């Protein structure tokens, strides 16, 4: 059974850092693009970051550039989201999603519905 499992969430003070991970079982990430989305309390789900299967194409939400870094280790079948200088407004459930793409760069990276596999999420809480 294919699964994406997020981990690494938790409680952190404002200004701190966390790294969340997305691991695949029953599925090989090495040929797929992976994205992180988040849903804050009372808000709609939003795109955070995406990375192509090679790791050469990376996309970020404008509001997160400079603070968040997405990376991948295909040997470990894992994608990471390093989050620095965290703010209370970063509090959310963070989800990863995966999909096959025909090319290394693709235009629908921010579209949740364009992915075909999603994890259950990991809670990140940033206290002020």
């Amino acid at each position: 059974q294919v699964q994406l499992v997020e981990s690494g969430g938790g409680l952190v003070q404002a200004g701190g850092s966390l790294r969340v991970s997305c691991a695949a079982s029953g599925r090989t990430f090495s040929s797929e693009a992976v994205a992180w989305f988040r849903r804050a309390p009372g808000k709609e789900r939003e795109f955070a970051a995406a990375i192509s299967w090679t790791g050469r194409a990376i996309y970020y939400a404008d509001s997160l550039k400079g603070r968040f870094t997405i990376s991948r280790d295909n040997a470990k079948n894992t994608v990471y989201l390093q989050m620095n200088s965290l703010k209370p407004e970063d509090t959310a459930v963070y989800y990863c999603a995966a999909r096959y793409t025909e090319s290394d760069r693709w235009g629908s990276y921010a579209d949740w519905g364009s992915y075909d596999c999603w994890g259950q999420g990991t809670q990140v809480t940033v206290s002020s």
Side-chain angles (χ1 to χ4, degrees), residues 25-86:
S25 62
R27 184 181 185 108
T28 301
F29 266 164
S30 60
S31 59
E32 295 188 321
V34 178
W36 284 96
F37 292 81
R38 66 182 187 179
R39 175 171 279 171
K43 295 187 178 180
E44 294 186 354
R45 182 175 45 238
E46 64 176 356
F47 168 76
I51 187 167
S52 67
W53 65 276
T54 64
R56 290 195 293 263
I58 290 177
Y59 306 94
Y60 293 103
D62 288 342
S63 62
L64 302 180
K65 287 179 181 177
R67 295 195 300 122
F68 286 22
T69 302
I70 190 171
S71 62
R72 66 189 302 153
D73 184 339
N74 286 341
K76 295 183 178 180
N77 224 25
T78 301
V79 172
Y80 306 98
L81 185 67
Q82 177 69 42
M83 304 180 289
N84 298 329
S85 302
L86 284 162

Side-chain angles (χ1 to χ4, degrees), residues 90-104:
D90 293 318
T91 294
V93 178
Y94 284 73
Y95 302 89
C96 63
R99 61 164 289 179
Y100 170 76
T101 59
E102 293 185 351
S103 61
D104 201 45

